[in-house]
């Protein structure tokens, strides 16, 4: 059964870079059939798509975060990661990862969500 | 950029029917999907491609679209359906995925 699990530092200081990893079990990230995305839920706000990696190729990012965001796939092909630079309190959220069809597919969905990891930006 | 607008909250009596709506121009072009999120839990896909249910999702959940409005209907709401619900679609300009503002469904 496919499982995704997020991991991260928990607490980050303002202006620093936060790194999060999503570990995929029982599937290959390099599959052409799927992409792998990061999402977040800030306190009191709604879900937001952060960005996605597809196979070992292109990445796609939310325009509002593009200048601060780096997405990558680990060489083991069992993990994908994000780095978000220059964080502020507005980046405090629960961060999730999930699977979805190839970017730009006519039919899209996000499934097999990880349980989420809390990131708090505070000095 | 496109936006998807939802009512902040709706309530429904146990066993009755509730409709959650989502409005946005992108829905005229792209399919909607819907996600249930209970407090402290990860989101769960309940509807995709407007009206398809993933395995394991009860058939009391259904979806539809008309013009720029997508709807999620829960027929015979149960206590466990109390949650936040988010719609999702694509936007072409810029090319990214957008979620609705979210609706809190309360089962009375």
């Amino acid at each position: 059964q496919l499982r995704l699990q997020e991991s991260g530092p928990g607490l980050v200081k303002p202006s620093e870079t936060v790194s999060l990893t999503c570990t995929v079990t029982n599937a290959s990230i390099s599959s052409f059939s799927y992409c792998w995305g990061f999402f977040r839920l800030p306190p009191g706000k709604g879900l937001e798509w952060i960005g996605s990696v597809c196979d070992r190729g292109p990445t796609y990012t939310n325009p509002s975060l593009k200048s601060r965001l780096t997405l990558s796939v680990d060489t083991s092909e069992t993990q994908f990661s994000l780095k978000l630079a220059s964080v502020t309190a507005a980046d405090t959220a629960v961060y999730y990862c999930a699977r979805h069809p190839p970017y730009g597919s006519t039919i899209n969905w996000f499934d097999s969500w990880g349980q989420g990891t809390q990131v708090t930006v505070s000095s | 950029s496109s936006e998807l607008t939802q009512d902040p909250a709706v309530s429904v009596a146990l066993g009755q029917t509730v409709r959650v709506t989502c409005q946005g121009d992108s829905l005229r072009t792209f399919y909607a999907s819907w996600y249930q999120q209970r407090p402290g839990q990860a989101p769960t896909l309940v509807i995709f491609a407007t009206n398809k249910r993933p395995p394991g999702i009860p058939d009391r959940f259904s979806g539809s679209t008309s013009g720029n409005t997508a709807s999620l209907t829960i027929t015979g709401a149960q206590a466990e359906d109390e949650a936040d619900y988010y719609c999702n679609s694509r936007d072409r300009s810029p090319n990214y995925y957008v979620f609705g503002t979210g609706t809190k469904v309360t089962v009375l």
Side-chain angles (χ1 to χ4, degrees), chain A residues 107, chain B residues 30-34 47-52 62-65 70-71:
Chain A
I107 295 176
Chain B
F30 300 107
Y31 288 107
S33 55
W34 289 91
I47 292 288
F48 68 100
T50 299
N51 59 6
K52 294 180 172 49
S62 62
S64 63
T65 295
S71 299

Side-chain angles (χ1 to χ4, degrees), chain A residues 49 96 103-104 106 110 113-114, chain B residues 31 35 37 42-43 90 95-97:
Chain A
W49 171 72
Y96 299 95
Y103 200 86
T106 301
F110 306 110
W113 295 71
Chain B
Y31 288 107
Y35 301 83
Q37 187 167 31
R90 270 184 62 197
N95 195 8
Y96 74 118
Y97 298 112

